[in-house]
Amino acid sequence: MQLSFNFSLRELTRSQTATRKGIKNEPNQEQLINLVALTVKILQPCRDKFGPISINSGLRVLELNRAIGSGDKSQHTRGQAADFEAFSISNTELAKWIKDNLDFDQLILEYPGKDPRDGWVHCSYERMGNRGQILTALKVKGKTVYKKGLHPNG
């Protein structure tokens, strides 16, 4: 099933953890509607601008989300968020372009490092209205810390 011109439902639900643990990572109707909005409003514009996009994580049903140690309030559980990268640019450049060009709920530059390919971009879309929250996730003494704004060098 296609969610947008270049993105399939399979791309947004694929999970090695779900496969390994026998978890059905399949959307309900509300999650499916959210996934379509996410692909049309966030992922497809990134694809149109920068070429192929690699989806690291999209929908995570609650059981899967818990299996990977993420919080129950994650927008991934509602089909509103994806973690992804573009092959043609750095994650920092991708995050900056999203910040400047798209309407989003939350944008997180996750774990940037010295290599421009380090980390990934987390972006969410809320059909009922977006906060436009921008954060950078960093590891500090083994714990994840979120800083407001984009901080490509930590």
Side-chain angles (χ1 to χ4, degrees):
M1 167 186 224
Q2 285 298 116
L3 301 176
S4 70
F5 187 74
N6 291 106
F7 293 96
S8 69
L9 179 60
R10 172 129 170 77
E11 286 177 273
L12 275 289
T13 58
R14 181 180 6 224
S15 166
Q16 293 178 4
T17 302
T19 300
R20 194 170 54 253
K21 293 185 173 275
I23 298 169
K24 280 189 158 191
N25 195 38
E26 298 173 356
N28 61 30
Q29 185 174 357
E30 182 70 16
Q31 291 164 326
L32 183 58
I33 291 168
N34 289 337
L35 285 169
V36 169
L38 175 68
T39 57
V40 168
K41 298 293 188 174
I42 303 295
L43 299 174
Q44 191 63 52
C46 291
R47 170 67 160 82
D48 292 345
K49 178 72 177 173
F50 300 111
I53 300 288
S54 174
I55 308 295
N56 302 333
S57 183
L59 174 69
R60 298 192 303 242
V61 296
L62 194 55
E63 183 182 359
L64 173 59
N65 205 56
R66 288 175 175 166
I68 65 163
S70 190
D72 285 1
K73 293 184 180 182
S74 168
Q75 288 181 292
H76 286 277
T77 65
R78 296 189 300 272
Q80 295 174 326
D83 298 337
F84 57 99
E85 301 174 72
F87 296 114
S88 65
I89 60 167
S90 73
N91 293 318
T92 298
E93 290 172 297
L94 177 60
K96 285 179 181 177
W97 185 84
I98 293 169
K99 175 182 77 73
D100 293 340
N101 294 281
L102 301 180
D103 181 30
F104 57 88
D105 187 59
Q106 188 178 60
L107 173 65
I108 307 174
L109 179 59
E110 304 253 12
Y111 311 107
K114 292 179 182 175
D115 185 320
R117 303 296 306 159
D118 286 347
W120 60 89
V121 171
H122 165 100
C123 195
S124 64
Y125 184 83
E126 168 60 64
R127 294 181 295 121
M128 300 305 180
N130 291 302
R131 297 173 286 172
Q133 183 181 51
I134 302 168
L135 302 167
T136 299
L138 303 165
K139 279 285 185 198
V140 178
K141 296 182 182 177
K143 296 193 181 218
T144 299
V145 174
Y146 292 92
K147 291 173 73 173
K148 288 185 178 182
L150 295 178
H151 301 275
N153 299 317

